[in-house]
Amino acid sequence: MKPKPENRKDIVIIGGGISGLSAAWELERRSGRTVDYALLESGAHWGGKIATRVVPGPAGGRFILDGGAESIVTRKPEAWELAQELGMADRVRDPGSETRGMYVLDGGALHPIPLHPVGFIRSRLMTSRGKLRMLAEPFIPPHRDVADETLAEFARRRLGAEAMEKIIAPVLAGIYNADPHRLSILAASPVMREMETRHGSLVRAMVARMWAGRGKKAAVSERPRFFTFRDGAGELPDRLAIRLSGELRLHTNAVEIRRQGEGFGIALENGAPLHARAVLLATPANTAAALIAPVSEAAARAIGGIRHTSIGSAFLLYRQPDLEAVGPINGLMIPSREGRRIDAVSFPFRKMPERAPQGFSAVRVFFGRSAPEMVDLPEDALLAQLRTELESLLGIQAPPLGIESFCWKNAFPQADVGHLERVDRIRALLPAGIYVAGSSYGGVGVPDCVQSGRRAAIAMWQRHQAEFSNREGSLLERKIVAT
């Protein structure tokens, strides 16, 4: 029996972010490692926007810097369950609350975000009229239809214009790096619409949930609300890449997909082309649209309709005494209406001091939404802009010891109103044998991407299982023959 040529694969997965890695993992689990696949990543590391960088400290020790998510929510359990499957329980760390010490900039002044009734009553962030409008939420008639609307429309309708502008929009739009006047509520926070539909009110829904939870025992696993790993979120994709048995290629850029025989030909920027029975595009949608255009112009146009923006963040490294003027702030959300050059600030080592050398800390600054051109600045110009903003907002005057920046140009998807319908239309237009997964379609959180990749792998396996099973020899048999 002749072994299959190396350039012929059952499946080619394009994109080595957490979605593509999760798809490969699910394929191996489903097939018993009999599917012959290649996983291609154009960059230098696995994980996409889950990017952990380790920087030596100036006097020993090290900084552990997460360029993407610093912690992962467990309310959506997909990433947590994947970590357990990979045997990473001993690596898991609980970073604590994501909301403690959060502030919002309003009219040039810093206000703590009121999370409790007393804080809400005392807060100067909102006027008395705005607070009364929020308190009237249980009496606002609910929408009974299923039509999508923007985050701004939903928040204004349920909680009032002032709450939308000063609390809801800065927090949720900050999380999604999006314009609240375009962001789909059904894509960004479907649970809020579900609460309104089921209970007629957000307040009544929260009360119902509290009553439902009374007397319930804690889960045996005692799962934290958020988790990360000892040496950064990058441990998750790194462990996945180690555990996978397929052909994994870094620095491999796919440039075009065309029909070829019973499958598809994948042209590479460097190297011989590949042939596959099926292809999974686990890249940002704008990249996927260009790749798939020779196969289906209609699908490419639909995929290309998903907007992408640029996003970046930078860690400014300091000695701890240089940050004493900041006070008890763990995070600052900055609405676009404030006219600043940056979107948010956080102090990650206040939650995880073990990730910095003793006596040192860092400020993480987010940018790209209010001033998109910031992601194109050279590092010296970027540092100058960030220092100006930090001094103006937080009184940080000392020069940093260094800067470490992470930028993704035109790679952050925007779930505009109608996004879910758009995704349904994309899937309907995809040619047989072509699949998509990733943050452009199923949510930007790590659990969303894990789920998206695994669901795509399940769909591929169910559709093509018979083809793989009937081909000439299993993967194990071919490896034995080749040896």
Side-chain angles (χ1 to χ4, degrees):
M1 183 185 298
K2 294 181 180 180
K4 191 166 69 173
E6 287 299 313
N7 68 333
R8 299 185 70 83
K9 301 292 180 183
D10 294 326
I11 293 173
V12 169
I13 301 171
I14 302 175
I18 193 63
S19 301
L21 290 164
S22 298
W25 176 254
E26 184 66 30
L27 274 175
E28 292 196 6
R29 284 167 54 87
R30 293 268 163 176
S31 69
R33 294 191 170 186
T34 61
V35 170
D36 188 9
Y37 70 89
L39 175 58
L40 314 180
E41 166 56 42
S42 62
H45 73 91
W46 302 109
K49 296 181 184 68
I50 303 179
T52 300
R53 192 176 298 169
V54 179
V55 178
R62 59 180 184 166
F63 292 93
I64 299 175
L65 311 175
D66 277 325
E70 294 171 0
S71 59
I72 304 168
V73 68
T74 62
R75 179 178 56 81
K76 298 178 179 180
E78 289 79 8
W80 174 265
E81 292 170 352
L82 178 60
Q84 308 310 306
E85 292 173 16
L86 292 167
M88 301 182 70
D90 62 325
R91 305 296 301 173
V92 168
R93 294 292 179 271
D94 181 356
S97 173
E98 287 282 296
T99 57
R100 184 178 63 250
M102 295 299 297
Y103 283 66
V104 63
L105 185 69
D106 182 64
L110 277 61
H111 298 271
I113 296 176
L115 301 174
H116 302 288
V118 174
F120 174 75
I121 293 170
R122 294 178 176 176
S123 174
R124 296 183 178 181
L125 175 60
M126 295 181 61
T127 65
S128 298
R129 183 176 181 177
K131 294 175 184 178
L132 289 172
R133 174 60 181 83
M134 280 191 72
L135 293 174
E137 192 275 338
F139 307 101
I140 302 299
H143 272 194
R144 296 301 184 183
D145 60 56
V146 295
D148 200 0
E149 60 186 325
T150 68
L151 168 65
E153 289 169 339
F154 176 86
R156 185 183 298 110
R157 178 169 59 78
R158 295 298 326 161
L159 300 165
E162 195 173 338
M164 186 277 290
E165 290 288 347
K166 297 189 175 184
I167 299 178
I168 305 301
V171 174
L172 287 183
I175 292 172
Y176 291 96
N177 190 50
D179 179 354
H181 298 280
R182 301 181 72 170
L183 180 61
S184 161
I185 188 68
L186 292 180
S189 188
V191 67
M192 295 178 72
R193 278 290 296 268
E194 191 269 340
M195 291 166 69
E196 178 188 31
T197 301
R198 286 191 60 189
H199 300 278
S201 158
L202 302 181
V203 171
R204 286 198 290 270
M206 288 187 286
V207 171
R209 288 187 174 193
M210 286 189 292
W211 276 103
R214 285 174 63 92
K216 285 188 177 180
K217 295 181 179 179
V220 175
S221 63
E222 296 183 351
R223 182 192 307 172
R225 291 182 61 197
F226 299 90
F227 77 102
T228 184
F229 300 95
R230 181 183 300 172
D231 289 336
E235 284 198 50
L236 183 61
D238 288 348
R239 178 68 67 91
L240 262 174
I242 291 171
R243 292 285 301 275
L244 293 173
S245 62
E247 182 180 343
L248 274 62
R249 302 190 193 179
L250 292 171
H251 304 288
T252 304
N253 187 32
V255 295
E256 188 179 70
I257 300 172
R258 289 189 178 275
R259 292 192 182 277
Q260 191 177 89
E262 296 182 357
F264 302 92
I266 300 96
L268 306 180
E269 190 172 51
N270 295 300
L274 295 172
H275 179 274
R277 293 170 181 259
V279 178
L280 171 59
L281 298 168
T283 67
N286 45 15
T287 300
L291 287 170
I292 201 178
V295 178
S296 172
E297 292 185 2
R301 283 194 300 271
I303 295 172
I306 298 176
R307 287 192 310 120
H308 286 70
T309 59
S310 299
I311 188 173
S313 71
F315 289 84
L316 277 61
L317 312 180
Y318 289 94
R319 292 181 174 84
Q320 281 185 343
D322 295 335
L323 301 179
E324 289 179 353
V326 174
I329 299 175
N330 287 334
L332 174 63
M333 311 301 292
I334 305 172
S336 297
R337 69 173 184 277
E338 292 294 314
R340 310 301 304 208
R341 303 280 291 166
I342 60 177
D343 304 319
V345 180
S346 71
F347 295 84
F349 297 138
R350 292 186 173 178
K351 295 186 297 182
M352 296 176 283
E354 70 279 4
R355 291 195 178 184
Q358 188 172 2
F360 294 87
S361 190
V363 181
R364 187 179 186 188
V365 187
F366 298 82
F367 50 88
R369 185 178 77 250
S370 297
E373 66 277 8
M374 292 277 282
V375 300
D376 295 315
L377 293 178
E379 197 161 83
D380 56 346
L382 175 64
L383 177 58
Q385 295 268 7
L386 300 183
R387 286 195 62 192
T388 298
E389 293 288 336
L390 290 177
E391 182 174 358
S392 172
L393 291 169
L394 300 171
I396 301 174
Q397 298 182 354
L401 303 171
I403 179 174
E404 296 287 335
S405 60
F406 301 80
C407 293
W408 287 278
K409 294 180 61 177
N410 300 317
F412 200 86
Q414 300 297 294
D416 293 340
V417 166
H419 181 74
L420 299 184
E421 293 180 357
R422 186 176 297 111
V423 172
D424 288 342
R425 187 164 63 252
I426 288 169
R427 297 194 191 282
L429 289 169
L430 286 173
I434 299 287
Y435 303 82
V436 294
S439 60
S440 296
Y441 313 98
V444 298
V446 176
D448 299 314
C449 292
V450 171
Q451 181 187 69
S452 178
R454 298 186 82 151
R455 283 183 173 176
I458 293 170
M460 296 175 80
W461 175 247
Q462 291 175 340
R463 169 64 179 81
H464 301 281
Q465 179 180 1
E467 299 173 33
F468 301 152
S469 300
N470 294 331
R471 68 181 183 271
E472 189 179 5
S474 69
L475 175 59
L476 179 59
E477 290 171 337
R478 293 200 305 275
K479 286 184 176 179
I480 292 173
V481 172
T483 302

